[in-house]
Amino acid sequence: MTPDLTAVGDTGLLDTLQHEVALFARRAEQTRLGGVGQVRNSMDRAAYLLLNRLDKEGPMGVKALAASMGIDSSTVTRQVAPLVDTGLVTRTSHPDDGRAVVLQLSPRGQARLEEVRSSRRQLMAELTEDWVPEEREAFCALLTRFNGALSARMAGHDRGDS
């Protein structure tokens, strides 16, 4: 008989969950969930997340970008440097404060991001091709909720909450 993993307080469910999350993290890193075809594995996670954020939120300074991503400004500066060098991101002076830098997705960066997104969408479609739409929606909603909980926990640890 299979144990009921949904019972409140049942460590079996939590053991299964932590194991599956660990497997997912390892497989995601191994494949980098890069997509399919020639675009597969062609953009690292940090670059994808930075470009995606600039695309969704528009041009912004390093501090604002770091805050919106929940990472340190020095990390953003380090991660964005190769994106500027390859022409995917432009760095300009802030119109009101010439000392401040504004980062913006370049047209080349926009095209590259869409190429990677398209490849990743195709991968997601292939991985979930035998799922009904409601399963995809439920998985997406739960994964979004899970990531939100992780993000909130990390923000609490950054403030010293425990």
Side-chain angles (χ1 to χ4, degrees):
M1 182 172 160
T2 307
D4 179 11
L5 297 179
T6 61
V8 175
D10 185 352
T11 59
L13 175 63
L14 299 177
D15 285 345
T16 300
L17 179 60
Q18 67 81 23
H19 179 75
E20 291 300 324
V21 168
L23 282 175
F24 172 77
R26 183 177 68 199
R27 288 185 179 131
E29 194 56 36
Q30 285 172 336
T31 65
R32 296 165 86 193
L33 291 180
V36 295
Q38 291 183 331
V39 180
R40 183 175 168 1
N41 292 334
S42 60
M43 183 178 288
D44 71 30
R45 178 179 29 99
Y48 178 77
L49 293 172
L50 283 166
L51 294 177
N52 202 47
R53 186 61 56 121
L54 287 172
D55 182 48
K56 291 194 181 309
E57 296 185 20
M60 66 180 78
V62 171
K63 285 183 182 180
L65 183 56
S68 74
M69 296 184 70
I71 58 178
D72 187 79
S73 293
S74 63
T75 301
V76 167
T77 300
R78 187 177 66 252
Q79 291 176 348
V80 83
L83 301 176
V84 171
D85 292 344
T86 57
L88 300 178
V89 171
T90 59
R91 187 183 291 152
T92 58
S93 296
H94 191 281
D96 298 329
D97 180 359
R99 296 169 299 166
V101 171
V102 174
L103 301 171
Q104 181 173 359
L105 193 61
S106 71
R108 181 171 182 228
Q110 181 69 54
R112 185 76 181 99
L113 179 60
E114 188 48 45
E115 181 182 41
V116 171
R117 279 181 180 157
S118 177
S119 176
R120 289 178 177 198
R121 276 192 300 271
Q122 185 178 346
L123 176 62
M124 293 301 111
E126 289 176 13
L127 292 173
T128 62
E129 69 186 344
D130 61 342
W131 297 18
V132 297
E134 295 80 14
E135 289 173 321
R136 284 181 178 169
E137 290 169 11
F139 182 71
C140 188
L142 290 170
L143 192 55
T144 299
R145 185 174 169 190
F146 186 80
N147 280 328
L150 280 174
S151 184
R153 180 174 176 80
M154 293 308 298
H157 284 313
D158 290 345
R159 289 190 313 267
D161 302 346
S162 291

